[in-house]
Amino acid sequence: MRLTFWSLVKGVVFLWLLWIPRFEGQFTNPQTMPARALDATLQDYAYRAFVHPRTGIPYDGVPPANLNGIEISAMRLRSGSLYHRGVETFREFRIPVGLREQPYVERLILVYQNLGNWSSTYYSLPGYAHLTPVLGLLAYNGSDLTAVDLPELDLWASEKAMTIKFEEVSPVPAGLVAKCAWFDLHGQVNFTDVVNENVCLTTEQGHFTIVVESAAAPEQEPPATVEGHPEAPSKKDKDSWVWGIVGSVCGGVALLVLLALMIVLVWKYKKRKKMRELERAADAGEALRMTRVGSILRAPYALPTRTMPQFEINLGA
């Protein structure tokens, strides 16, 4: 029974581990996965612009034909030079001294993105309207210029904030206030104040835009979807996402309840087994011990009683 019990426990744990990735994935922003796939594609095409690369010089890349309207550029830098000197201008970005990356690499590459008319497709915000295109700045390892699907470096400004000066800003409707929106690499959205009408500040990499809050803001018409290109999730997909969370939670609770019931059943089984062993021992009685008589014969004998018999002596006349 012990072997069977542990086999069942391992099976329950295995099923639980299968649920965990699905459960965690349900909390990801629905826009995150298509946007992350776009980042990987643009990194590949930006690296292709390096034919005879020179340090500190931006090279404009050419995105695939099905992403017409997106602009990309890449700049290769030494980590030490970036930290001590910064970058005065890289398209709309001004990078101050003190920029750090983790993990440390000797050379890194900054990839610039301007999503243009694809901005609302990959970074839509319900209740908000984009006043500018979405601009991206991501850092990658620059040791291998042919590498693809590279993970981003963790990049942050340790002394002064980076500035983003947007060149194309739509007028702000009367009575509304524009906000800077920063999308980090985990799909979270952060809002800050706009500086001088077209400048946003940031201490980390990611994607940036200026938006205006408007409950009645019309949804921008996304570009036509090209075959093979990921499209933004529909309302049906979002509903499935919510039900996926509910199903994952219910499945996890059910597995935990099943494991608890198994533990209780095994405990009761062992308790009943022990009681039966005690009952059999009581019915059989205590076996007599054996002793040697002479040099060959063995015979049973009983232990002496603890209390010796008392004899009454009548001293009467």
Side-chain angles (χ1 to χ4, degrees), residues 152-187:
E152 291 82 3
L153 301 175
D154 189 8
L155 189 71
W156 74 96
S158 61
E159 298 181 11
K160 297 181 180 179
M162 295 182 284
T163 62
I164 311 158
K165 188 175 182 180
F166 291 88
E167 298 177 354
E168 302 175 6
V169 183
S170 300
V172 180
L176 300 179
V177 178
K179 289 286 185 180
C180 296
W182 164 48
F183 301 83
D184 64 21
L185 300 184
H186 304 290

Side-chain angles (χ1 to χ4, degrees), residues 18-92:
L18 290 179
W19 278 98
I20 288 178
R22 179 182 177 186
F23 181 79
E24 292 178 346
Q26 300 299 334
F27 289 96
T28 305
N29 190 318
Q31 301 290 339
T32 302
M33 293 309 296
R36 302 301 290 135
L38 177 66
D39 290 339
T41 300
L42 297 182
Q43 175 266 316
D44 176 21
Y45 281 82
Y47 271 42
R48 298 183 187 185
F50 292 115
V51 180
H52 301 291
R54 294 176 57 189
T55 301
I57 304 298
Y59 291 84
D60 294 338
V62 180
N66 61 342
L67 293 175
N68 185 33
I70 292 180
E71 299 177 10
I72 55 176
S73 184
M75 179 186 294
R76 194 182 190 197
L77 299 163
R78 291 183 179 272
S79 295
S81 176
L82 177 62
Y83 176 79
H84 292 290
R85 300 179 183 178
V87 178
E88 183 177 353
T89 302
F90 181 33
R91 302 294 289 263
E92 289 92 340

Side-chain angles (χ1 to χ4, degrees), residues 16 19 247-257:
W16 175 249
W19 278 98
S248 299
V249 174
C250 294
V253 172
L255 288 174
L256 290 177
V257 172

Side-chain angles (χ1 to χ4, degrees), residues 270-284:
K270 290 184 175 181
K271 185 176 180 181
R272 288 196 299 268
K273 183 178 179 181
K274 185 175 181 181
M275 291 296 298
R276 286 197 295 268
E277 291 177 352
L278 293 175
E279 291 173 357
R280 285 197 297 269
D283 293 340

